[in-house]
Amino acid sequence: MYLKAREPVVLNFNAFMSFHPDPKSEYNDQLIRATNMTVSALRFMKTFRAGYLEPEVFHLNPKKSDTELFKKLIRFVPSSLSWFGAYMVNAYPLDMSQYFRLFNSTRLPKVSRDELYIDEKAKHLLVLRNGNFYVFDVIDRDGNMLKPSEIQAHLKYILSDNSPTPAFPLGYLSSENRDTWALLRKNLLDNGNEEALQKVDSAVFCLSLDDFPVKDFVHLSHTMLHGDAANRWYDKSFNLIITKDGTAGVNFEHSWGDGVAVLRFQNEVFKDSVGEPAVSPQSQPASVDSSRAVRRLDFKLNDALKAGITKAKQNFDSTVEALTLDMIQFQKGGKDLLKQKKVSPDAVAQLAFQMAFLRQYNQTVATYESCSTAAFKHGRTETIRPASIHTKKCSEAFVKEPSKHSTEELQKMIMECSEYHGRLTKEAAMGQGFDRHLFGLRCLALSKGTSLPDFYQDQAYARLNHNIISTSTLVSPAVQLGGFGPVVPDGFGVGYQVHGDWIGCNVSSYPARNAKEFLQCIYKSLEDIFNVLKGKKISS
């Protein structure tokens, strides 16, 4: 699905998640944070590759299974039987097959279908600054990590390099239509850039150092979701982005894996870089010759490549200019109150989106919520379809005729929505959704050259898959904010987080829709739902 898509990955597929600042403010210096996060990312990679990373487990009874005692005991059980021990205490190991593509991995543009590339032998980091590409080894010949003081010295050297932004920054090519980019890449290879591109593709990951501070949350979202394409390589499995004021985030390519793998990486990197920082503000960079260790990549460009970069920049700038990003923090309640009232926090957030759209556009539309299917081997995602007859009935009662219904009746409708949404979520997580099955059958038909059944040509099927509201949620102690672009030109991209006592919502749209107005409608909807749950009347 991802590799055959020809649209640019930026805004269409790549998502972002930003880290909380380091609690110790002096550690939010760009060089200090970049060094600490790079070291923590390498520690994570080495732990994973050595087979010591704690597995992802879904605990149905955490009091029994999520304990130090159980973890110690299960270590001594042979791996062929350990699953049985976990099953006995209702703990279910989740698929982690995506993790190996976190590092040394990139998506290569090819005509009609891209490829995923990985080279675990490569030992260097790719650093982007001012549109310039730098590489240096972070792993030595024996497989050991470079000393943190040396990594700090090399990053300091890059930050002090005054090289101007190239006249034709190569980063823009990774923001282009995939077929266009595939042909330009072939031209790059034919023009003698094979070794430089190999360095980019095989790097452990891409560290993007931006030369400006973040102004506010909206600026933060723009910076992490797309930023300046000159200073990104969107095809890498992920870009770790660190701005002038130490604000950090991850922009990740989606074909190799999903948010669950990236979130685990972010949780571990945040916890390690904050709890066990490799360098401090008092640390001195090692006295090494960084001018020899760090290499700036030079690319040979002909007129066709220069024209391709110029065109890619124009396309990127006009797309980004058309994008609106905005956010709200609803402070009048969150997960704690909703659980007390015995309703699903996720169901309430999704109900608020349905109500908001009805309030804004007087209709309900196809809505997508992603759900991990990591309970299965090689599981990716299934779709939860939050728009239902229950949410429609409830939304209409709240938006169109609140005075006709008693508070008890409205509470009952919220409960119905919650129960139904809970059922949909369980079905999706257990592979009982319909979207991926239908997609699989469609792929089979196309691969065998058989004609698609009439069902796939139906108007209703087309409308169902034109997801005007596309949503995703991830809550973590490491993540401050997350988001993505709309998946259709007349849609909204909704990233949301339901915390203990507040709800955060980050919405993107193009000119066909109004993200700011939609957020106001979401706020009003959440306010109404919480008031009703507290037994209050709602104002029209």
Side-chain angles (χ1 to χ4, degrees), residues 120 124 190 194 251 295 467:
E120 291 188 358
H124 61 280
D190 294 345
E194 192 172 348
N251 176 295
R295 177 179 156 205
N467 292 302

PDB file of all heavy atoms in Angstrom, residues 120 124 190 194 251 295 467:
ATOM      1  N   GLU A 120      22.956  -3.120   7.762  1.00  0.00           N
ATOM      2  CA  GLU A 120      23.281  -3.111   9.195  1.00  0.00           C
ATOM      3  C   GLU A 120      24.781  -3.005   9.466  1.00  0.00           C
ATOM      4  O   GLU A 120      25.201  -2.795  10.597  1.00  0.00           O
ATOM      5  CB  GLU A 120      22.709  -4.363   9.874  1.00  0.00           C
ATOM      6  CG  GLU A 120      21.184  -4.341   9.938  1.00  0.00           C
ATOM      7  CD  GLU A 120      20.609  -5.470  10.784  1.00  0.00           C
ATOM      8  OE1 GLU A 120      21.390  -6.290  11.285  1.00  0.00           O
ATOM      9  OE2 GLU A 120      19.377  -5.510  10.928  1.00  0.00           O
ATOM     10  N   HIS A 124      28.037   4.741  10.327  1.00  0.00           N
ATOM     11  CA  HIS A 124      28.077   6.211  10.362  1.00  0.00           C
ATOM     12  C   HIS A 124      26.696   6.833  10.570  1.00  0.00           C
ATOM     13  O   HIS A 124      25.665   6.222  10.292  1.00  0.00           O
ATOM     14  CB  HIS A 124      28.693   6.752   9.070  1.00  0.00           C
ATOM     15  CG  HIS A 124      27.902   6.377   7.849  1.00  0.00           C
ATOM     16  ND1 HIS A 124      27.998   5.146   7.251  1.00  0.00           N
ATOM     17  CD2 HIS A 124      26.974   7.066   7.129  1.00  0.00           C
ATOM     18  CE1 HIS A 124      27.178   5.083   6.216  1.00  0.00           C
ATOM     19  NE2 HIS A 124      26.538   6.239   6.121  1.00  0.00           N
ATOM     20  N   ASP A 190      23.850   8.039 -12.246  1.00  0.00           N
ATOM     21  CA  ASP A 190      24.589   8.082 -13.517  1.00  0.00           C
ATOM     22  C   ASP A 190      25.594   9.231 -13.546  1.00  0.00           C
ATOM     23  O   ASP A 190      26.536   9.219 -14.339  1.00  0.00           O
ATOM     24  CB  ASP A 190      23.612   8.225 -14.703  1.00  0.00           C
ATOM     25  CG  ASP A 190      22.728   6.995 -14.869  1.00  0.00           C
ATOM     26  OD1 ASP A 190      23.073   5.949 -14.273  1.00  0.00           O
ATOM     27  OD2 ASP A 190      21.698   7.080 -15.562  1.00  0.00           O
ATOM     28  N   GLU A 194      27.097   7.840  -6.725  1.00  0.00           N
ATOM     29  CA  GLU A 194      26.728   6.562  -6.115  1.00  0.00           C
ATOM     30  C   GLU A 194      27.245   6.434  -4.675  1.00  0.00           C
ATOM     31  O   GLU A 194      26.516   6.061  -3.765  1.00  0.00           O
ATOM     32  CB  GLU A 194      27.264   5.397  -6.955  1.00  0.00           C
ATOM     33  CG  GLU A 194      26.669   4.078  -6.523  1.00  0.00           C
ATOM     34  CD  GLU A 194      27.039   2.924  -7.467  1.00  0.00           C
ATOM     35  OE1 GLU A 194      27.561   3.177  -8.569  1.00  0.00           O
ATOM     36  OE2 GLU A 194      26.803   1.783  -7.058  1.00  0.00           O
ATOM     37  N   ASN A 251      10.488  12.739  12.764  1.00  0.00           N
ATOM     38  CA  ASN A 251       9.637  12.647  11.580  1.00  0.00           C
ATOM     39  C   ASN A 251       9.954  11.279  10.977  1.00  0.00           C
ATOM     40  O   ASN A 251      11.115  10.990  10.687  1.00  0.00           O
ATOM     41  CB  ASN A 251       9.971  13.774  10.595  1.00  0.00           C
ATOM     42  CG  ASN A 251       9.177  13.681   9.297  1.00  0.00           C
ATOM     43  OD1 ASN A 251       9.333  12.733   8.529  1.00  0.00           O
ATOM     44  ND2 ASN A 251       8.351  14.674   9.034  1.00  0.00           N
ATOM     45  N   ARG A 295      32.972  14.149   7.419  1.00  0.00           N
ATOM     46  CA  ARG A 295      33.094  14.395   5.978  1.00  0.00           C
ATOM     47  C   ARG A 295      31.814  15.045   5.462  1.00  0.00           C
ATOM     48  O   ARG A 295      30.716  14.602   5.785  1.00  0.00           O
ATOM     49  CB  ARG A 295      33.313  13.041   5.294  1.00  0.00           C
ATOM     50  CG  ARG A 295      33.387  13.124   3.794  1.00  0.00           C
ATOM     51  CD  ARG A 295      33.620  11.740   3.213  1.00  0.00           C
ATOM     52  NE  ARG A 295      33.156  11.693   1.842  1.00  0.00           N
ATOM     53  CZ  ARG A 295      32.769  10.599   1.217  1.00  0.00           C
ATOM     54  NH1 ARG A 295      32.794   9.445   1.842  1.00  0.00           N
ATOM     55  NH2 ARG A 295      32.353  10.644  -0.040  1.00  0.00           N
ATOM     56  N   ASN A 467     -11.330   9.018   3.265  1.00  0.00           N
ATOM     57  CA  ASN A 467     -11.423   9.314   4.698  1.00  0.00           C
ATOM     58  C   ASN A 467     -11.223  10.798   4.985  1.00  0.00           C
ATOM     59  O   ASN A 467     -10.089  11.275   5.066  1.00  0.00           O
ATOM     60  CB  ASN A 467     -10.404   8.475   5.472  1.00  0.00           C
ATOM     61  CG  ASN A 467     -10.776   7.007   5.443  1.00  0.00           C
ATOM     62  OD1 ASN A 467     -11.869   6.633   5.868  1.00  0.00           O
ATOM     63  ND2 ASN A 467      -9.896   6.181   4.920  1.00  0.00           N
TER      64      ASN A 467
END
